[in-house]
């Protein structure tokens, strides 16, 4: 049975579409003008049938959404820090794409690693009681830092995760070198892991790597299509499996009347897919924190997490530091 045979449209339209070799959803949705034996009405009917097949999730009214949230509460993934969780009203949303952007050394990857560990906490402690798919697209995975965090995380939460064994065994790391490899990883490996309930968190570090230099000037339309395909697939996984998807993004300089400003990469083509945008930044301030007696005091840079936009949060900025245990907000 071909793709067209599964559509709920008139047989005449199917026959005309087969002659034009419209064998995929994309080929139908890209149609804009009448072609061959297909009129504008035929194309509209085809697009409607394809749309229903792609998105078969039942519609809900605002009242139904409110009642659902009132009964079970919207799922959150804890950050592992009470101050950050309070700012995020419980943690990272379990539906939608959360973007973590920021300049170099602001703590973006650190945040991703920390969420990979908190995802393994039982649900009653704000976790997902499951593993993580961590996809690296540029730098080597910071395995030494993860090992250090696992040791400290285990010492703090040992009783909560006593049955999980080695936490590192539940973090599935994939390295991809180009956009095609990234999409293959998501369409095959991620899909398999999600269907088997092996993971309930996807971290992409970083989303901008393959789009900043792999395209020529005349390929901007192709680049926008690829960004849209990636965002749509991640969004689909998040809502289909009710999991948080965290995408780490770079920043780029932008000129405005107020001067030079850092903004997340990839522009509106990517921003339209983002549900929550968090922006991390370093400040010029440092603080000295007291650690355990074996480590002694530590002088560290104060960083800030800005909630740029979110459907459930006001815009605000929360200071935080990074020590041997991870990210910690403070007032």
């Amino acid at each position: 049975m071909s793709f067209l045979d599964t559509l709920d449209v008139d047989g005449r339209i199917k026959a005309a579409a087969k002659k034009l070799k419209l064998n995929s959803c994309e080929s139908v949705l890209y149609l804009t003008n009448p072609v061959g034996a297909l009129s504008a009405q035929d194309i509209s009917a085809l697009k409607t049938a394809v749309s229903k097949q792609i998105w078969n999730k039942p519609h809900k009214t605002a009242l139904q959404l409110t009642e659902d949230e009132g009964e079970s509460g919207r799922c959150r993934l804890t950050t592992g820090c009470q101050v950050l969780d309070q700012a995020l009203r419980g943690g990272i949303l379990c539906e939608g794409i959360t973007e973590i952007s920021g300049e170099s050394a602001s703590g973006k990857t650190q945040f991703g690693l920390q969420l990979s560990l908190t995802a393994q906490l039982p649900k009653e402690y704000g976790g997902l009681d499951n593993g993580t798919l961590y996809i690296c697209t540029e730098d080597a995975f910071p395995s030494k830092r993860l090992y250090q965090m696992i040791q400290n995380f285990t010492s703090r939460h040992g009783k909560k995760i006593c049955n999980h064994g080695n936490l590192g065994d539940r973090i599935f790391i994939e390295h991809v070198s180009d956009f095609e490899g990234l999409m293959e990883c998501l369409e095959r490996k991620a899909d398999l892991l999600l269907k088997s309930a092996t993971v309930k968190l996807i971290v992409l570090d970083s989303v901008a790597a393959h789009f900043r230099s792999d395209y020529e000037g005349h390929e901007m339309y192709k680049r926008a299509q690829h960004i849209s395909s990636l965002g749509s697939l991640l969004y689909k996984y998040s809502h289909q499996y009710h999991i948080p998807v965290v995408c780490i993004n770079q920043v780029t300089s932008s000129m405005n009347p107020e001067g030079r400003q850092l903004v997340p990469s990839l522009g509106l083509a990517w921003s339209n897919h983002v549900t929550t945008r968090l922006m991390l930044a370093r400040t010029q301030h440092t603080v000295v924190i007291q650690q355990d007696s074996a480590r002694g005091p530590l002088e560290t840079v104060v960083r800030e997490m800005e909630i740029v936009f979110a459907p459930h949060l006001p815009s605000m900025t929360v200071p935080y530091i990074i020590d041997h245990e991870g990210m910690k907000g403070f007032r």
Side-chain angles (χ1 to χ4, degrees), residues 141-179:
F141 182 80
S143 53
K144 290 184 179 180
R145 175 56 175 156
L146 176 62
Y147 178 71
Q148 180 189 32
M149 292 180 64
I150 288 176
Q151 289 181 311
N152 290 288
F153 191 84
T154 303
S155 64
R156 284 189 297 150
H157 303 283
K159 294 181 179 180
K160 303 174 186 176
I161 53 176
C162 57
N163 297 324
H164 289 178
N166 187 353
L167 298 181
D169 292 341
R170 304 184 84 189
I171 301 177
F172 300 85
I173 304 167
E174 286 290 332
H175 292 268
V176 293
S177 58
D178 53 28
F179 173 76

Side-chain angles (χ1 to χ4, degrees), residues 1 31 91 110 135 172 210 306 324:
M1 180 180 293
L31 291 175
Q110 169 71 53
I135 303 174
F172 300 85
H210 301 320
E306 178 187 1
H324 64 284

Side-chain angles (χ1 to χ4, degrees), residues 121-129 200:
L121 288 171
K123 293 181 180 179
E124 58 264 32
Y125 295 107
L128 304 174
D129 200 15
K200 285 190 177 178

Side-chain angles (χ1 to χ4, degrees), residues 87-119:
L88 297 172
R89 295 186 181 176
I92 303 298
L93 283 181
C94 286
E95 285 194 3
I97 297 174
T98 297
E99 179 197 80
I100 302 172
S101 61
E103 59 190 325
S104 177
S106 59
K108 303 185 299 295
T109 297
Q110 169 71 53
F111 205 161
L113 295 177
Q114 190 157 318
L115 293 174
S116 299
L117 295 177
T118 61

